[in-house]
mmCIF file of all heavy atoms in Angstrom:
data_model
loop_
_atom_site.group_PDB
_atom_site.id
_atom_site.type_symbol
_atom_site.label_atom_id
_atom_site.label_comp_id
_atom_site.label_asym_id
_atom_site.label_seq_id
_atom_site.Cartn_x
_atom_site.Cartn_y
_atom_site.Cartn_z
ATOM 1 N N GLY A 3 231.140 0.589 87.113
ATOM 2 C CA GLY A 3 231.680 -0.645 86.554
ATOM 3 C C GLY A 3 232.689 -0.358 85.470
ATOM 4 O O GLY A 3 233.022 0.808 85.204
ATOM 5 N N PRO A 4 233.169 -1.399 84.792
ATOM 6 C CA PRO A 4 234.208 -1.228 83.769
ATOM 7 C C PRO A 4 233.818 -0.275 82.643
ATOM 8 O O PRO A 4 234.673 0.391 82.071
ATOM 9 C CB PRO A 4 234.417 -2.653 83.240
ATOM 10 C CG PRO A 4 233.932 -3.544 84.320
ATOM 11 C CD PRO A 4 232.832 -2.807 85.019
ATOM 12 N N ASP A 5 232.517 -0.203 82.319
ATOM 13 C CA ASP A 5 232.062 0.648 81.227
ATOM 14 C C ASP A 5 231.350 1.904 81.702
ATOM 15 O O ASP A 5 230.801 2.659 80.902
ATOM 16 C CB ASP A 5 231.141 -0.145 80.287
ATOM 17 C CG ASP A 5 231.846 -1.346 79.678
ATOM 18 O OD1 ASP A 5 233.030 -1.210 79.315
ATOM 19 O OD2 ASP A 5 231.219 -2.419 79.579
ATOM 20 N N GLY A 6 231.324 2.132 83.004
ATOM 21 C CA GLY A 6 230.665 3.314 83.560
ATOM 22 C C GLY A 6 231.678 4.390 83.902
ATOM 23 O O GLY A 6 232.886 4.150 83.947
ATOM 24 N N ASP A 7 231.194 5.595 84.158
ATOM 25 C CA ASP A 7 232.074 6.700 84.532
ATOM 26 C C ASP A 7 232.524 6.617 85.981
ATOM 27 O O ASP A 7 233.406 7.362 86.408
ATOM 28 C CB ASP A 7 231.376 8.039 84.296
ATOM 29 C CG ASP A 7 231.272 8.370 82.818
ATOM 30 O OD1 ASP A 7 232.259 8.168 82.100
ATOM 31 O OD2 ASP A 7 230.196 8.809 82.383
ATOM 32 N N MET A 8 231.901 5.731 86.744
ATOM 33 C CA MET A 8 232.287 5.500 88.131
ATOM 34 C C MET A 8 232.754 4.054 88.249
ATOM 35 O O MET A 8 232.238 3.163 87.569
ATOM 36 C CB MET A 8 231.111 5.741 89.080
ATOM 37 C CG MET A 8 230.455 7.115 88.933
ATOM 38 S SD MET A 8 231.517 8.497 89.430
ATOM 39 C CE MET A 8 231.400 8.372 91.212
ATOM 40 N N GLY A 9 233.732 3.808 89.113
ATOM 41 C CA GLY A 9 234.260 2.463 89.273
ATOM 42 C C GLY A 9 234.207 2.002 90.713
ATOM 43 O O GLY A 9 234.286 2.806 91.639
ATOM 44 N N ALA A 10 234.037 0.702 90.904
ATOM 45 C CA ALA A 10 234.094 0.050 92.207
ATOM 46 C C ALA A 10 234.468 -1.405 91.951
ATOM 47 O O ALA A 10 234.214 -1.926 90.855
ATOM 48 C CB ALA A 10 232.764 0.160 92.957
ATOM 49 N N PRO A 11 235.065 -2.081 92.924
ATOM 50 C CA PRO A 11 235.540 -3.447 92.685
ATOM 51 C C PRO A 11 234.422 -4.452 92.412
ATOM 52 O O PRO A 11 233.383 -4.429 93.084
ATOM 53 C CB PRO A 11 236.259 -3.807 93.990
ATOM 54 C CG PRO A 11 236.516 -2.517 94.685
ATOM 55 C CD PRO A 11 235.420 -1.595 94.264
ATOM 56 N N ASP A 12 234.645 -5.307 91.423
ATOM 57 C CA ASP A 12 233.821 -6.501 91.197
ATOM 58 C C ASP A 12 232.330 -6.222 91.060
ATOM 59 O O ASP A 12 231.499 -6.919 91.652
ATOM 60 C CB ASP A 12 234.033 -7.522 92.322
ATOM 61 C CG ASP A 12 235.499 -7.897 92.471
ATOM 62 O OD1 ASP A 12 236.165 -8.084 91.440
ATOM 63 O OD2 ASP A 12 235.978 -7.986 93.617
ATOM 64 N N CYS A 13 231.970 -5.204 90.298
ATOM 65 C CA CYS A 13 230.540 -4.919 90.161
ATOM 66 C C CYS A 13 230.243 -4.211 88.843
ATOM 67 O O CYS A 13 231.125 -3.650 88.193
ATOM 68 C CB CYS A 13 230.050 -4.047 91.310
ATOM 69 S SG CYS A 13 230.543 -2.322 91.133
ATOM 70 N N ARG A 14 229.009 -4.285 88.472
ATOM 71 C CA ARG A 14 228.398 -3.407 87.479
ATOM 72 C C ARG A 14 227.068 -2.961 88.089
ATOM 73 O O ARG A 14 226.313 -3.781 88.596
ATOM 74 C CB ARG A 14 228.142 -4.116 86.155
ATOM 75 C CG ARG A 14 229.389 -4.442 85.340
ATOM 76 C CD ARG A 14 229.000 -5.034 83.977
ATOM 77 N NE ARG A 14 230.149 -5.546 83.260
ATOM 78 C CZ ARG A 14 230.866 -4.848 82.376
ATOM 79 N NH1 ARG A 14 230.538 -3.588 82.119
ATOM 80 N NH2 ARG A 14 231.891 -5.395 81.763
ATOM 81 N N VAL A 15 226.801 -1.666 88.035
ATOM 82 C CA VAL A 15 225.532 -1.115 88.507
ATOM 83 C C VAL A 15 225.062 -0.124 87.457
ATOM 84 O O VAL A 15 225.850 0.704 86.984
ATOM 85 C CB VAL A 15 225.674 -0.401 89.877
ATOM 86 C CG1 VAL A 15 224.342 0.196 90.307
ATOM 87 C CG2 VAL A 15 226.201 -1.352 90.937
ATOM 88 N N GLY A 16 223.807 -0.208 87.093
ATOM 89 C CA GLY A 16 223.300 0.711 86.076
ATOM 90 C C GLY A 16 221.786 0.780 86.089
ATOM 91 O O GLY A 16 221.132 0.400 87.061
ATOM 92 N N PHE A 17 221.248 1.262 84.976
ATOM 93 C CA PHE A 17 219.809 1.475 84.849
ATOM 94 C C PHE A 17 219.276 0.774 83.611
ATOM 95 O O PHE A 17 219.962 0.676 82.589
ATOM 96 C CB PHE A 17 219.498 2.971 84.726
ATOM 97 C CG PHE A 17 219.872 3.780 85.927
ATOM 98 C CD1 PHE A 17 221.097 4.430 85.990
ATOM 99 C CD2 PHE A 17 219.010 3.879 87.012
ATOM 100 C CE1 PHE A 17 221.457 5.174 87.101
ATOM 101 C CE2 PHE A 17 219.366 4.625 88.132
ATOM 102 C CZ PHE A 17 220.591 5.273 88.175
ATOM 103 N N THR A 18 218.036 0.304 83.725
ATOM 104 C CA THR A 18 217.271 -0.171 82.575
ATOM 105 C C THR A 18 216.080 0.758 82.409
ATOM 106 O O THR A 18 215.406 1.096 83.387
ATOM 107 C CB THR A 18 216.783 -1.618 82.775
ATOM 108 O OG1 THR A 18 217.916 -2.490 82.814
ATOM 109 C CG2 THR A 18 215.860 -2.060 81.644
ATOM 110 N N LEU A 19 215.831 1.153 81.180
ATOM 111 C CA LEU A 19 214.734 2.066 80.840
ATOM 112 C C LEU A 19 213.909 1.414 79.735
ATOM 113 O O LEU A 19 214.469 0.939 78.742
ATOM 114 C CB LEU A 19 215.326 3.394 80.350
ATOM 115 C CG LEU A 19 214.394 4.517 79.939
ATOM 116 C CD1 LEU A 19 213.542 4.983 81.121
ATOM 117 C CD2 LEU A 19 215.215 5.691 79.380
ATOM 118 N N MET A 20 212.595 1.344 79.935
ATOM 119 C CA MET A 20 211.715 0.744 78.933
ATOM 120 C C MET A 20 210.535 1.659 78.639
ATOM 121 O O MET A 20 209.971 2.260 79.554
ATOM 122 C CB MET A 20 211.189 -0.616 79.410
ATOM 123 C CG MET A 20 212.240 -1.706 79.474
ATOM 124 S SD MET A 20 211.592 -3.273 80.133
ATOM 125 C CE MET A 20 210.270 -3.647 78.962
ATOM 126 N N ALA A 21 210.170 1.735 77.374
ATOM 127 C CA ALA A 21 209.005 2.509 76.960
ATOM 128 C C ALA A 21 207.723 1.779 77.359
ATOM 129 O O ALA A 21 207.737 0.565 77.598
ATOM 130 C CB ALA A 21 209.040 2.717 75.447
ATOM 131 N N PRO A 22 206.592 2.491 77.404
ATOM 132 C CA PRO A 22 205.319 1.813 77.651
ATOM 133 C C PRO A 22 205.029 0.784 76.552
ATOM 134 O O PRO A 22 205.527 0.893 75.431
ATOM 135 C CB PRO A 22 204.298 2.958 77.613
ATOM 136 C CG PRO A 22 205.083 4.193 77.897
ATOM 137 C CD PRO A 22 206.437 3.952 77.294
ATOM 138 N N ASP A 23 204.205 -0.193 76.906
ATOM 139 C CA ASP A 23 203.747 -1.220 75.955
ATOM 140 C C ASP A 23 204.906 -1.886 75.223
ATOM 141 O O ASP A 23 204.901 -2.014 73.998
ATOM 142 C CB ASP A 23 202.756 -0.616 74.953
ATOM 143 C CG ASP A 23 201.535 -0.034 75.643
ATOM 144 O OD1 ASP A 23 200.930 -0.746 76.469
ATOM 145 O OD2 ASP A 23 201.205 1.136 75.389
ATOM 146 N N THR A 24 205.898 -2.301 75.989
ATOM 147 C CA THR A 24 207.106 -2.914 75.422
ATOM 148 C C THR A 24 207.373 -4.248 76.091
ATOM 149 O O THR A 24 207.237 -4.373 77.317
ATOM 150 C CB THR A 24 208.317 -1.987 75.611
ATOM 151 O OG1 THR A 24 208.077 -0.756 74.922
ATOM 152 C CG2 THR A 24 209.591 -2.612 75.081
ATOM 153 N N PHE A 25 207.770 -5.226 75.310
ATOM 154 C CA PHE A 25 208.149 -6.538 75.840
ATOM 155 C C PHE A 25 209.641 -6.724 75.665
ATOM 156 O O PHE A 25 210.166 -6.653 74.557
ATOM 157 C CB PHE A 25 207.392 -7.656 75.098
ATOM 158 C CG PHE A 25 207.755 -9.034 75.572
ATOM 159 C CD1 PHE A 25 207.566 -9.401 76.889
ATOM 160 C CD2 PHE A 25 208.280 -9.964 74.687
ATOM 161 C CE1 PHE A 25 207.899 -10.676 77.337
ATOM 162 C CE2 PHE A 25 208.610 -11.243 75.120
ATOM 163 C CZ PHE A 25 208.416 -11.600 76.446
ATOM 164 N N TYR A 26 210.331 -6.924 76.774
ATOM 165 C CA TYR A 26 211.762 -7.232 76.790
ATOM 166 C C TYR A 26 211.842 -8.754 76.802
ATOM 167 O O TYR A 26 211.570 -9.383 77.818
ATOM 168 C CB TYR A 26 212.394 -6.603 78.022
ATOM 169 C CG TYR A 26 213.887 -6.742 78.209
ATOM 170 C CD1 TYR A 26 214.507 -6.132 79.293
ATOM 171 C CD2 TYR A 26 214.692 -7.473 77.344
ATOM 172 C CE1 TYR A 26 215.876 -6.233 79.508
ATOM 173 C CE2 TYR A 26 216.065 -7.579 77.543
ATOM 174 C CZ TYR A 26 216.643 -6.963 78.632
ATOM 175 O OH TYR A 26 217.997 -7.084 78.843
ATOM 176 N N PRO A 27 212.190 -9.363 75.666
ATOM 177 C CA PRO A 27 212.049 -10.811 75.543
ATOM 178 C C PRO A 27 212.899 -11.602 76.534
ATOM 179 O O PRO A 27 213.833 -11.079 77.152
ATOM 180 C CB PRO A 27 212.511 -11.083 74.103
ATOM 181 C CG PRO A 27 212.381 -9.788 73.396
ATOM 182 C CD PRO A 27 212.661 -8.738 74.430
#
């Protein structure tokens, strides 16, 4: 995507990483 090291049209693709016992509000 626009902020990634790889580009492709009209997209963003990435990863979400969360620690144990965590609430993503």
Side-chain angles (χ1 to χ4, degrees):
D5 300 320
D7 287 317
M8 306 293 283
D12 304 318
C13 76
R14 289 185 189 267
V15 178
F17 297 95
T18 294
L19 180 63
M20 291 177 59
D23 300 310
T24 299
F25 179 59
Y26 183 177

